[in-house]
Amino acid sequence: MARTASLSGFPEWLPEERLVELHVLDTLRRTFELHGFSSIETRAVETVGQLLRKGEIDKEVYGLSRLQDDDGTPGSDTGKTDPHALALHFDLTVPFARYVVENAGYLAFPFRRYQIQKVWRGERPQEGRAREFTQADIDVVGDGDLPFRYDVEIALVIAEALNALPIPDFLLRINNRKLAEGFYTGIGLTDTAGVLRSIDKLEKIGPAKVAELLRSELGATEDQAQAALKLAGIRTPDTSFVEQVRALGVSNDLLEEGLNELEQVIAAAVQRAPGRVVADLSIARGLDYYTGTVVETILVGHEQLGSICSGGRYDALASKGNRKFPGVGLSIGVTRLVSRILSQNLASASRSVPTAVLVALNSDDSWGAAQDVAAALRSRGISTEVAAKAEKFGKQIKFADRRGIPFVWFTDDDGKHQVKDIRTGEQHDADPADWTPAEEDLRVHVTTN
């Protein structure tokens, strides 16, 4: 992790680091499929109009154009004004919404999907923020309506998935946009989206500057600004937030609906994922398409990294005529997580290559027989390489050691087989038809340090 990248913001892992990333991806994939989520992949490119129709992040979107037009002239920069111009997707939710609309006739609703892909954002690179990175999303989308119970289920699935990763303790911080918007309306602030965007900056700029934003940009009075900050200051590990909100003395139907929904999520999480979830009424989420439950997740002790998993309920992102496709989902920042795991040495792979055995050569003429041995081992799931040259055995052993391969296989001229554990020096007779290394050596294992 000390390497200097030739192009910042586009991470490239060493083989042993990639094994850690693959472990994270495989763990997430396995957990999602255990809960019945189907895998899909959408194209990397969308139209600018599609990408920017909900939430303004145009400064971060990478436009896509050819270096030359059909007539050979330099490509034109029309992406900023032409909604039909192409751009790389900045998240997976907007492409997924488009995918649902286009394939609605072929999907069974509620549709449960997971999606693990690269996304691109034109951000200033730093740890936890890359320009090209991998996200792992899960969503449930309904046709016409989507029971609120899926909001609860999504949070529990993510808690289970994160709990299986080699990471420190984490905390899902959950709020509800209906609760917040109903409260702001109840105190007389009509631009609720604007208030949410200001509250979303609370951890970055602090309460005093947020209050100033509310007064200067949204026309809030001092009392209104302080009431909004009091709401954002409520944080509980249980459902006691309900009493604290009601104690603020604001009455609004949307507020009550949001309180009820958030209470259900927190009550279920306290029971099934104790210690992993808090009600945090400062969570707003900047994108405009969220309409109910909103979630951000932090690593305890690594709060400066920012959210490693976020998302929520969206009721109006996908539609086709009068047909609505409400959904709820969460997105894990895989690259952000892996970057922290590697930079802080939180976990490591048991070896740097998948290979468990190197088949040594007695002579160049023994290469064919060595391939037969390798094929027998591979047929039983043992990752095996064959030496390329019949060098002295000491050199072949050093090659295996340099590669991180634990075992070297020898076959003498009489066809007798032996395998050597080069870590301990132990060597014994073996048969390629039935020899198997110990489970901890059969495959690469990623363990917490």
Side-chain angles (χ1 to χ4, degrees), residues 339-360:
S339 295
R340 180 49 58 106
I341 291 171
L342 297 175
S343 68
Q344 301 295 312
N345 195 30
L346 300 175
S348 57
S350 56
R351 58 181 184 258
S352 58
V353 294
T355 313
V357 179
L358 174 72
V359 181

Side-chain angles (χ1 to χ4, degrees), residues 46-166:
E46 301 287 342
T47 65
V48 170
Q50 178 73 24
L51 288 175
L52 300 186
R53 66 193 186 92
K54 292 287 184 180
E56 293 296 328
I57 69 160
D58 52 301
K59 291 181 180 179
E60 298 180 4
V61 174
Y62 279 113
L64 195 67
S65 62
R66 291 186 295 172
L67 295 179
Q68 287 189 343
D69 289 333
D70 289 335
D71 59 4
T73 59
S76 58
D77 183 16
T78 61
K80 293 181 180 179
T81 56
D82 182 4
H84 301 292
L86 301 180
L88 295 172
H89 56 217
F90 63 84
D91 77 353
L92 299 179
T93 302
V94 173
F96 174 56
R98 188 264 312 155
Y99 175 95
V100 168
V101 170
E102 292 181 356
N103 294 284
Y106 303 95
L107 302 175
F109 294 95
F111 178 49
R112 304 160 69 90
R113 86 77 160 93
Y114 77 88
Q115 187 172 349
I116 301 176
Q117 277 185 249
K118 298 277 191 183
V119 298
W120 295 266
R121 291 184 192 174
E123 299 193 280
R124 182 173 64 85
Q126 54 187 297
E127 186 183 0
R129 289 191 179 275
R131 290 170 173 167
E132 178 185 69
F133 54 98
T134 300
Q135 285 188 328
D137 285 22
I138 58 170
D139 288 79
V140 182
V141 171
D143 184 359
D145 71 305
L146 185 70
F148 178 74
R149 188 159 288 171
Y150 287 112
D151 292 44
V152 181
E153 182 184 359
I154 286 284
L156 295 177
V157 173
I158 286 292
E160 181 179 327
L162 293 176
N163 199 51
L165 298 180

Side-chain angles (χ1 to χ4, degrees), residues 15 31 39 42 82 93 109 116 154 158 161 163 170 173 210 254 295 332 361 365 386 406 421:
T31 304
S39 175
T42 59
D82 182 4
T93 302
F109 294 95
I116 301 176
I154 286 284
I158 286 292
N163 199 51
F170 59 89
R173 304 161 64 193
V210 168
L254 189 60
V295 180
I332 297 174
L361 297 181
D365 292 338
V386 175
D421 185 335

Side-chain angles (χ1 to χ4, degrees), residues 8-23:
S8 64
F10 297 86
E12 294 178 332
W13 309 125
L14 292 173
E16 57 268 31
E17 296 171 337
R18 172 63 172 162
L19 287 169
V20 173
E21 183 182 40
L22 286 174
H23 171 77

